Amino acid sequence: MQFPENQGGINHSGRSFRDLGGLILERTGTIELAGASGVVNAFIRRADNGVEMTFPAANADLYAGTVFTPKPRSIGNGVPSPASAAWYGSDAMTIQNVLAIGFRDVFTSNTFSRIRVENLSFDANPGEGRYAFKVEGSYDSSSFLNLHVWPYGTAGTSAITGDNTLGYRRGGALQFIGQNDGTEIDGLFAAYYDNNLYLGGSSTKVGRAWVEHFKTDGGNVGVIVENAYDIQIAQLQIFGQDKPLRINGGRGSSLSISQLHIENPGNGGVRIESGNLFLGTATSRGITQGYVLEVLDPETRLSGRWFDDSPASSDVGYAPAGWTSEKLAGFEFIVTQRGGATSRPDGTYVWVGNVIGNPQITPDAAGFLRLPTTGEFFTVVGGQYMSNIIGGYGGRRITLLFTDTRQAVYHADTVNLKPNSKGDFLPNPGSILELIYDGANSAWREISRTL
């Protein structure tokens, strides 16, 4: 099916088809949208040689064909535009109030202008490594509003037999890369895809987005931010998912989220491979394994406040070697159910940067107490004496709360601890020792003690 354009020139007017009702589209066909054309108020289902697709589908291969294909604009009489002009393609096309079920692909747009997609719902199965709805480089105030992606066919596929009657879909749901010139993206909902939402490129701005997946293993990812320079999200909610949010924007890139909520994922909360994360307020709960926040690049910067209400079976966070406190100057964790800081065999440590909630640390068998990268107040747990504190830098002040009489600080045995003239520190449960690091002499010096 082709929706033709007016042949009057580059800034042509097309045709809009309204109130189509039920529309059957062959798996080998597509709806070709030229400039200023559109489809409004339609229910589109796939067919094969005139036979409508039935649900639940027997296997994933039955999802086939493409619903909408934007057509590069012409210079008139059907003659294609020069390559430079064709970039801007189907100028001012419209898709509004449409439900499409049973296809492999729904829509792919590459550097087209003034597109308006509003109230589009679909059930597609693009397959591994592909996205059912893909927009790259839209220009001149395009808008994508209220996109609802859900397995309406209520069918599993042969590759995932027995998963859930909701029917998980292979591949990705929504992908936006490099939006420009005031493009508006808002009201996104995607569920039960391997990856529900992908954001990349530069200057992409999103209003509200909600993603979910009840299968909390198998590697599905709620939101991927990748190769991205400036991504801004007003409100992001992630429920379930094996991996809720993965960020690999590249060093120096920024992801800003005004409100973030993560609940009941399978494997951790946010993983940052590269790039900066600037939050307004983040909340999380039900993270039972992995890290609430995992940072792998020492150049990553964080800001904002994070409230976590997850059980003690998960770790607050992970920091890379070489990460310094100035990268966290405006960031604060507030935890309610645990502190949770332990050393790792590879020499890196669970990170508890700026945690409110008395993070806990334990001396190792040699008496070395290894501090997280940031933080000032720590609870010492375990029954081992201390001979060395690792993690000091010039001027760093720490306060240690002791919980056991065996956590002694013996003057004669210490490597870099310099108790004051009162000598050995023999704590009781509840004792406090305050220290400051003397960078010039590589030693911790006592400020005060409370037994």
Side-chain angles (χ1 to χ4, degrees):
M1 174 179 289
Q2 178 175 336
F3 290 179
E5 63 184 343
N6 183 308
Q7 302 297 333
I10 291 179
N11 293 317
H12 49 256
S13 297
R15 301 177 183 176
S16 290
F17 289 77
R18 296 178 123 342
D19 302 322
L20 294 176
L23 180 65
I24 305 303
L25 183 64
E26 288 287 329
R27 66 182 295 163
T28 56
T30 188
I31 298 174
E32 190 175 81
L33 292 174
S37 61
V39 175
V40 180
N41 301 338
F43 175 28
I44 305 170
R45 294 180 64 176
R46 193 190 67 71
D48 205 353
N49 294 321
V51 179
E52 294 184 35
M53 181 176 178
T54 59
F55 299 95
N59 59 69
D61 293 337
L62 294 176
Y63 287 81
T66 301
V67 184
F68 297 107
T69 301
K71 179 183 178 183
R73 66 186 179 185
S74 73
I75 59 175
N77 299 317
V79 179
S81 300
S84 59
W87 252 39
Y88 297 97
S90 297
D91 195 28
M93 76 176 89
T94 298
I95 301 169
Q96 191 172 20
N97 302 335
V98 170
L99 170 61
I101 298 179
F103 298 90
R104 186 185 186 196
D105 301 307
V106 176
F107 181 85
T108 299
S109 169
N110 189 347
T111 57
F112 294 163
S113 305
R114 289 181 286 277
I115 303 168
R116 183 171 182 82
V117 180
E118 184 174 359
N119 299 333
L120 170 65
S121 302
F122 64 83
D123 175 6
N125 204 336
E128 187 174 352
R130 304 177 71 255
Y131 286 83
F133 186 99
K134 179 178 179 179
V135 176
E136 184 169 359
S138 59
Y139 288 82
D140 297 341
S141 301
S142 293
S143 61
F144 304 91
L145 308 176
N146 301 328
L147 307 185
H148 195 283
V149 190
W150 179 272
Y152 290 96
T154 65
T157 68
S158 58
I160 47 177
T161 300
D163 270 347
N164 190 297
T165 56
L166 289 171
Y168 303 132
R169 299 292 182 250
R170 290 304 186 203
L174 301 169
Q175 184 177 49
F176 295 92
I177 302 176
Q179 312 312 308
N180 296 281
D181 302 337
T183 293
E184 184 181 11
I185 304 172
D186 191 21
L188 306 181
F189 174 79
Y192 309 115
Y193 282 73
D194 288 342
N195 170 226
N196 282 312
L197 177 61
Y198 180 104
L199 300 172
S202 62
S203 302
T204 299
K205 297 174 176 60
V206 179
R208 298 159 298 154
W210 176 315
V211 301
E212 70 176 46
H213 204 305
F214 288 154
K215 185 175 175 59
T216 55
D217 58 13
N220 66 78
V221 182
V223 180
I224 295 175
V225 178
E226 193 170 53
N227 301 321
Y229 180 71
D230 177 22
I231 306 292
Q232 300 178 34
I233 304 174
Q235 185 180 86
L236 176 60
Q237 299 186 68
I238 305 174
F239 290 85
Q241 305 283 173
D242 183 21
K243 303 170 183 177
L245 175 57
R246 296 295 179 262
I247 303 168
N248 191 14
R251 283 191 172 181
S253 66
S254 63
L255 169 62
S256 301
I257 306 176
S258 297
Q259 293 180 312
L260 170 65
H261 180 71
I262 297 173
E263 187 163 339
N264 297 331
N267 186 19
V270 175
R271 176 186 172 98
I272 304 176
E273 297 181 21
S274 65
N276 305 315
L277 176 61
F278 304 123
L279 297 168
T281 301
T283 55
S284 55
R285 59 182 299 180
I287 301 176
T288 58
Q289 61 182 354
Y291 301 99
V292 177
L293 175 57
E294 182 179 12
V295 178
L296 302 181
D297 185 357
E299 294 301 313
T300 291
R301 293 181 177 273
L302 300 176
S303 68
R305 302 191 84 193
W306 190 310
F307 299 83
D308 178 60
D309 190 32
S310 297
S313 55
S314 64
D315 287 315
V316 174
Y318 178 89
W323 209 28
T324 53
S325 59
E326 68 268 15
K327 304 293 195 307
L328 298 155
F331 188 69
E332 193 171 61
F333 251 136
I334 298 175
V335 297
T336 60
Q337 295 196 39
R338 42 79 169 100
T342 56
S343 60
R344 296 296 186 204
D346 63 359
T348 54
Y349 310 99
V350 175
W351 166 64
V352 293
N354 298 347
V355 170
I356 297 174
N358 295 358
Q360 298 177 348
I361 49 180
T362 306
D364 64 20
F368 283 43
L369 186 70
R370 302 177 186 274
L371 299 177
T373 308
T374 60
E376 298 178 355
F377 193 98
F378 306 100
T379 299
V380 182
V381 296
Q384 175 67 39
Y385 77 96
M386 287 194 301
S387 62
N388 199 328
I389 299 179
I390 305 299
Y393 51 82
R396 184 177 189 182
R397 294 177 64 143
I398 60 171
T399 300
L400 303 178
L401 172 65
F402 292 80
T403 59
D404 194 296
T405 57
R406 294 170 293 175
Q407 298 163 347
V409 180
Y410 294 110
H411 188 282
D413 295 332
T414 57
V415 176
N416 70 343
L417 299 175
K418 305 299 180 185
N420 63 20
S421 58
K422 295 181 181 179
D424 298 338
F425 180 76
L426 306 175
N428 298 305
S431 293
I432 292 176
L433 180 64
E434 188 176 8
L435 303 169
I436 187 169
Y437 193 74
D438 177 358
N441 295 292
S442 301
W444 289 96
R445 300 194 178 277
E446 182 176 340
I447 298 174
S448 67
R449 64 174 68 182
T450 303
L451 296 174

